């Protein structure tokens, strides 16, 4: 792993968990055989190897016996040989189908783990999430590329580091294209605070030649620990998991508007501090999107529905024309994957107009990121 004192992002390349080791800056730790004979048996059954072997043996052996019975004119038992040979052929075809599916689902996927380690929230926990993401990616992808930065606690410095992390993630996408030219999908697994995920997504953007699926940590049964939550590309979705309302903030600047996502059903515990922060920062209009429950259904339909509905509601909100050309703010809760995808979809074209507010647990208040530039 990289040293915590090292500030800039870099790329580390892994092989899959069952073969190849770790290459790149961190050196060669081998992936090794973690499944033993039981894992090998499961793999043989799931990837079609066993079906091809058994089907080939049946189709070939019984087919030969059926042919011999025809040559010698022995009709007794011939149809059993024919039926067995046909069953073996069907099993052989099914085995090749399983191989093709396994190739599409595993061998042609590339994983990218992007981590911003937040010392203020505990480096040990950040390490745990980072390692968990790497292990998941290595178990599901042919190649995994990891990149990380350690945050300083200084918003100005951390803005630069997160932008560098996004640039290095883009380099990882280019590297993945060279390493696995047959791959059609990239699994992006972010581990970082919510507000930085939005800024990271704004820097990364959503127009990429490969399909990029953003993964989220699973909160339910935890197995597997991540699931494909949403995509960076625009996706048609008729799902509407949220309710929307627009408010005018008394005394606020009509050219400033904010988007607030209560995805954990906190209600006034979430919206009251948001409104107070809007008043403090002279934000004139507030669009609040609420989830009915405290936990979103952990599937791509729901998470993509949240992203697409938030984008649509923001674009269609009844805001004055001044707000459409002014400055924006966003208050986030819930999933890192949703925050990242929203940043890519809403702020990529002009990130300089956006301010992300993060909740400071020490002061129990929202703090802007990046910090506003001093007025002259």
């Amino acid at each position: 792993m990289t040293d915590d004192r090292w500030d800039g992002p870099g790329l580390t390349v892994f092989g899959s968990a069952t073969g190849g080791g770790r290459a790149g800056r961190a050196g060669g730790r081998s992936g090794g055989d973690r499944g033993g004979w039981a894992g090998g048996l499961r793999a043989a059954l799931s990837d079609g190897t066993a079906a091809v072997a058994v089907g080939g043996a049946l189709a070939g052996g019984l087919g030969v016996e059926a042919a011999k019975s025809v040559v010698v004119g022995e009709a007794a038992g011939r149809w059993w040989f024919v039926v067995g040979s046909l069953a073996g052929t069907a099993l052989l075809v099914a085995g090749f189908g399983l191989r093709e599916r396994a190739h599409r689902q595993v061998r042609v996927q590339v994983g990218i783990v992007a981590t911003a380690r937040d010392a203020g929230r505990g480096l040990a926990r950040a390490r745990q999430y980072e390692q968990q993401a790497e292990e998941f990616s290595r178990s599901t992808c042919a190649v995994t590329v990891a990149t990380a930065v350690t945050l300083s606690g200084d918003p100005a410095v951390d803005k630069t580091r997160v932008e560098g992390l996004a640039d290095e993630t883009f380099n990882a996408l280019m590297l993945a294209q060279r390493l696995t030219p047959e791959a059609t999908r990239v699994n992006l697994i972010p581990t970082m605070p919510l507000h930085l995920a939005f800024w990271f997504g704004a820097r990364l953007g959503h127009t990429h030649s490969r399909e990029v699926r953003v993964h989220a940590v699973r909160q339910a049964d935890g197995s597997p620990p991540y699931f494909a939550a949403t995509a960076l590309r625009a996706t048609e979705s008729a799902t509407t998991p949220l309710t929307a309302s627009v408010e005018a903030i008394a005394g606020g600047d009509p050219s400033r508007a904010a988007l607030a996502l209560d995805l954990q059903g906190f209600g006034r515990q979430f919206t009251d501090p948001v409104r107070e922060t809007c008043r403090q920062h002279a934000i004139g209009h507030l669009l609040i999107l609420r989830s009915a429950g405290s936990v979103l259904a952990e599937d791509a339909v729901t998470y993509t529905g949240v992203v697409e509905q938030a984008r649509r509601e923001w674009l269609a909100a009844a805001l004055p024309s001044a707000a459409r050309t002014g400055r924006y703010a966003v208050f986030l809760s819930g999933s890192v994957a949703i925050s990242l995808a929203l940043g890519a979809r809403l702020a990529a074209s002009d990130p300089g107009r956006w301010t992300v507010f993060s909740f400071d647990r020490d002061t129990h208040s929202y703090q802007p990121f990046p910090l506003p530039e001093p007025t002259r």
Side-chain angles (χ1 to χ4, degrees):
M1 301 296 294
T2 58
D3 190 286
D4 286 335
R5 294 169 296 178
W6 181 70
D7 298 334
L11 297 180
T12 303
V13 181
F14 297 83
S16 65
T18 56
R22 178 175 178 168
R25 176 171 46 217
R29 182 180 65 188
S30 174
D33 182 5
R34 306 185 182 205
W37 68 267
L41 178 60
R42 286 194 299 270
L45 292 173
S46 63
D47 68 6
T49 300
V52 169
V54 175
L58 289 175
L62 296 180
V64 169
E65 293 299 325
K68 286 169 60 178
S69 70
V70 172
V71 172
V72 301
E74 181 62 51
R78 180 186 304 168
W79 287 110
W80 289 110
F81 292 138
V82 172
V83 171
S85 179
L86 291 175
T89 301
L91 191 60
L92 187 64
V93 171
F96 281 119
L98 288 173
R99 279 189 174 182
E100 177 63 22
R101 188 182 70 175
H103 176 78
R104 289 197 309 267
Q105 292 183 345
V106 178
R107 304 311 301 176
V108 298
Q109 292 186 22
V110 174
I112 298 178
V113 178
T115 302
R117 308 185 194 103
D118 188 354
R121 304 186 187 192
L123 283 178
R125 178 177 295 182
R127 289 291 195 189
Q128 179 184 0
Y129 287 141
E130 185 177 3
Q131 292 171 4
Q132 178 178 276
E134 289 175 358
E135 290 172 3
F136 167 77
S137 182
R138 294 182 67 197
S139 70
T140 56
C141 299
V143 174
T144 293
V145 184
T147 181
V149 294
T150 301
L151 302 174
S152 68
D154 182 338
V157 174
D158 289 344
K159 174 178 177 291
T160 302
R161 291 187 183 179
V162 172
E163 290 174 348
L165 182 67
D167 293 342
E168 203 66 7
T169 301
F170 185 80
N171 291 336
L173 288 169
M174 299 299 100
L175 177 62
Q177 188 169 349
R178 294 194 297 269
L179 290 174
T180 54
E182 76 281 7
T184 58
R185 182 173 122 177
V186 174
N187 294 335
L188 176 59
I189 309 172
T191 61
M192 59 189 68
L194 290 179
H195 65 293
L196 298 184
F198 185 91
W199 197 258
F200 175 91
R203 181 79 171 194
L204 190 62
H206 57 87
T207 55
H208 301 282
S209 59
R210 304 280 183 91
E211 180 189 8
V212 180
R213 301 291 297 183
V214 188
H215 281 56
V217 177
R218 191 180 297 279
Q219 302 295 325
D221 57 13
S223 180
Y226 289 87
F227 69 99
T230 188
L232 288 187
R233 291 177 180 173
T235 304
E236 291 292 334
S237 174
T239 304
T240 54
L242 310 175
T243 57
S245 61
V246 178
E247 303 177 6
I249 306 298
D253 184 345
S255 69
R256 303 196 64 192
L259 169 66
L261 280 81
D262 180 11
L263 302 184
Q264 296 172 301
F266 285 132
R268 292 190 60 181
Q269 185 180 351
F270 174 80
T271 55
D272 285 353
V274 167
R275 293 188 184 100
E276 178 59 28
T277 304
C278 288
R279 285 190 286 267
Q280 292 173 1
H281 291 266
I283 295 173
H285 290 84
L286 174 63
L287 169 62
I288 301 177
L289 299 177
R290 301 178 178 88
S291 172
S294 60
V295 179
L296 293 172
E298 293 181 334
D299 55 62
V301 172
T302 302
Y303 275 57
T304 299
V306 168
V307 173
E308 293 302 322
Q309 185 184 1
R311 184 188 65 84
R312 290 195 306 268
E313 296 286 358
W314 176 253
L315 295 177
L319 300 175
S321 57
R324 293 300 181 186
T325 58
R327 290 189 56 82
Y328 305 141
V330 60
F331 298 84
L332 302 164
S333 67
S335 168
V336 172
I338 289 175
S339 299
L340 192 157
L342 276 177
R345 301 295 306 284
L346 291 178
S349 60
D350 193 0
R353 295 175 64 184
W354 286 85
T355 300
V356 192
F357 283 89
S358 63
F359 190 75
D360 188 322
R361 296 176 182 175
D362 294 331
T363 63
H364 299 284
S365 62
Y366 280 96
Q367 302 299 321
F369 182 90
L371 293 176
E373 297 181 359
T375 57
R376 297 180 179 180

